[in-house]
Amino acid sequence: MNYSVLVVDDEDCIRELCEDVLPMWGYEVDTAEDGFQGIDKAKTGKYQVVLTDIKMPECDGLTVLEKVKAYDPQIEIIVMTAYGTIETAVNAMKKGAYDFIMKPLSLNQMQAVLNKCVEKIELTSKNKELTELNRRLRELNEMKEKFITITSHELRTPVCSITGFVELIKYSLSGILEDKPETLLSELETIVKGLADIVSDMHDLAAMDLGGFKLTKENLNLVDIAQHVKNEFFPILKDRQLPIEIHSPDVLNYKGDKRRIRQALRELVQNSVKFTPDKGKIDILLSQENNRTIISVKDTGIGIPPDRIDTIFERFYEVQDSTLHSSSDTAFMGGGLGVGLSLVKEIVISHGGKVSVTSQSGKGSTFTIELPCEES
Ligand code: ADP
């Protein structure tokens, strides 16, 4: 990288000298003939180093130093000072100057100080990159640990159930057990479906990491999609006395990816089902206003504590202890991977929209998806 140096000095000969020698040392150079002009130029953000004379009329080098540092503390300032004013130079260093050069100028000293200064800039930026890399690695490691804890819990339960049911079916077929194999098989089917859903979530997460979802957009009637999701949950919710009501116009057209929009709504409803006690209520509200399509899912469930509300869209984040979940994903406080909302967020963003939540602990939550309408 070619570093840009701004030379601020009221002496023409110094500016001219710098314009001649700095490019020979590999620096880009610009000049300002007084402190005011120096500050204005430095504020353009084009320079990494400002080389300023201290003694200038009206706006001196210390003022340049203060104003430029206040604008951007990353800009390094080197002050030039005459012999006999060493205290001023020390004062400048206390105020944040990187170093000072004595006047009359020695080109060797000037080159050495400038080179040292850019080495420091490079080191600082490398350190910043390393700190950022470390932070990211720590995050990934935490995510990996959460992933292992949650998936091993969520996978172990259905796998144990499958093993148990296979045993039972064997007993049933050999006549030792009274239960009919068909009944056992239908329960087994439900567990296998749950397992397939987990694998499918994992697949979607991987797709997200490989550059987001590829959408296939078509004209949709969102009311049909909401009805489909409601029907899916109906058999389970009858037992839990947890009705789902749809509030919408007769038809609500939207151009989007059918599978993904249905998945997003399903994830929100599934969460309401899991986090609302029996005899509660779930509402799906669909509307269109000001060229925006709004899909809301409102429940009368346990709600989300205010200090967790920003975190729930993160992957593998669950407010409750995942190892204490009920094994069913449709029971109250049922299990999950903690990835549903991050998938919803990704689907909504890939459609150009946003998702938000309002919630009150113990009273319920409302998740709202806002999508820009496209020409159908
Ligand atoms: P999962 O549901 O698989 O745990 P999600 O990413 O869908 O993962 O949700 C993350 C967490 O957000 C849930 O574990 C739960 O703690 C909280 N949450 C999501 N939806 C609701 C809701 N409707 N009511 C209360 N808490 C919710």
Side-chain angles (χ1 to χ4, degrees):
M1 170 177 175
N2 267 2
Y3 287 88
S4 287
V5 182
L6 175 67
V7 179
V8 188
D9 203 310
D10 56 334
E11 283 180 73
D12 295 347
C13 60
I14 299 284
R15 294 198 308 276
E16 279 160 19
L17 173 76
C18 290
E19 275 171 338
D20 285 343
V21 294
L22 264 61
M24 290 197 293
W25 301 335
Y27 296 105
E28 284 171 10
V29 62
D30 193 6
T31 57
E33 58 189 34
D34 61 45
F36 295 121
Q37 198 186 36
I39 294 165
D40 285 347
K41 281 199 170 184
K43 284 186 178 174
T44 59
K46 284 197 254 170
Y47 314 96
Q48 290 79 40
V49 183
V50 173
L51 189 61
T52 180
D53 188 19
I54 288 205
K55 204 160 163 288
M56 289 184 290
E58 292 185 57
C59 179
D60 65 7
L62 287 181
T63 314
V64 174
L65 168 69
E66 270 169 32
K67 299 272 186 219
V68 174
K69 278 285 178 194
Y71 162 73
D72 181 359
Q74 315 280 358
I75 300 178
E76 294 297 348
I77 315 243
I78 299 167
V79 294
M80 297 179 281
T81 185
Y83 279 117
T85 54
I86 192 87
E87 289 89 3
T88 328
V90 172
N91 195 13
M93 304 269 290
K94 281 189 195 151
K95 289 189 167 160
Y98 170 73
D99 206 344
F100 64 91
I101 305 173
M102 283 297 179
K103 274 183 168 180
L105 293 177
S106 135
L107 288 184
N108 280 346
Q109 192 204 2
M110 189 176 188
Q111 188 182 17
V113 171
L114 269 173
N115 288 352
K116 225 165 40 136
C117 182
V118 300
E119 263 172 36
K120 185 212 162 185
I121 296 174
E122 268 166 14
L123 212 67
T124 313
S125 106
K126 277 206 188 100
N127 274 344
K128 257 202 224 139
E129 275 169 33
L130 276 176
T131 315
E132 175 55 22
L133 200 67
N134 265 335
R135 194 190 59 79
R136 189 78 196 108
L137 281 174
R138 261 202 316 275
E139 257 180 30
L140 283 174
N141 201 37
E142 276 169 23
M143 206 181 269
K144 188 196 79 189
E145 279 166 13
K146 268 193 205 166
F147 172 80
I148 292 170
T149 316
I150 294 173
T151 43
S152 62
H153 173 74
E154 294 301 327
L155 292 175
R156 198 180 309 125
T157 318
V159 168
C160 287
S161 304
I162 290 169
T163 319
F165 270 101
V166 170
E167 279 301 297
L168 289 177
I169 290 167
K170 273 202 276 181
Y171 288 139
S172 164
L173 287 173
S174 60
I176 302 173
L177 198 75
E178 269 185 23
D179 290 296
K180 286 196 177 141
E182 298 82 50
T183 324
L184 298 169
L185 270 172
S186 118
E187 297 209 32
L188 186 59
E189 205 177 0
T190 313
I191 299 165
V192 170
K193 189 187 161 299
L195 203 55
D197 284 346
I198 293 177
V199 173
S200 154
D201 274 357
M202 292 298 156
H203 182 264
D204 285 344
L205 275 187
M208 246 160 78
D209 286 344
L210 291 173
F213 295 125
K214 304 265 172 301
L215 301 181
T216 313
K217 291 196 181 179
E218 58 184 302
N219 291 327
L220 312 171
N221 176 5
L222 291 180
V223 185
D224 288 345
I225 293 190
Q227 194 60 49
H228 186 281
V229 172
K230 174 179 168 172
N231 292 347
E232 242 183 284
F233 284 98
F234 180 72
I236 310 140
L237 298 188
K238 221 167 56 169
D239 291 343
R240 291 193 45 204
Q241 297 184 47
L242 189 56
I244 299 181
E245 258 181 50
I246 301 174
H247 309 263
S248 71
D250 292 339
V251 176
L252 197 91
N253 292 316
Y254 172 72
K255 192 169 181 183
D257 186 306
K258 186 173 178 180
R259 176 170 157 237
R260 294 300 181 194
I261 294 290
R262 188 159 69 195
Q263 183 184 12
L265 180 59
R266 197 181 178 286
E267 292 288 354
L268 294 185
V269 172
Q270 168 113 43
N271 278 346
S272 290
V273 168
K274 283 193 300 191
F275 299 109
T276 306
D278 296 1
K279 299 188 182 156
K281 191 166 175 288
I282 299 169
D283 291 302
I284 302 175
L285 302 101
L286 305 176
S287 64
Q288 236 155 26
E289 56 192 56
N290 302 331
N291 251 352
R292 301 194 83 71
T293 302
I294 317 281
I295 306 172
S296 290
V297 177
K298 183 169 176 240
D299 63 48
T300 55
I302 58 168
I304 302 150
D307 59 330
R308 309 295 178 91
I309 214 145
D310 291 335
T311 334
I312 55 170
F313 290 93
E314 283 175 16
R315 274 184 203 189
F316 303 118
Y317 184 80
E318 301 183 304
V319 175
Q320 296 75 22
D321 181 349
S322 62
T323 54
L324 302 177
H325 278 155
S326 140
S327 56
S328 157
D329 61 1
T330 49
F332 179 49
M333 302 307 279
L337 292 177
V339 298
L341 288 178
S342 52
L343 288 173
V344 172
K345 192 171 164 190
E346 186 69 21
I347 292 170
V348 173
I349 289 175
S350 62
H351 280 81
K354 58 181 186 188
V355 54
S356 57
V357 55
T358 55
S359 183
Q360 245 187 309
S361 282
K363 294 234 163 112
S365 312
T366 305
F367 284 81
T368 303
I369 293 175
E370 233 184 282
L371 300 161
C373 295
E374 260 187 43
E375 296 290 310
S376 328

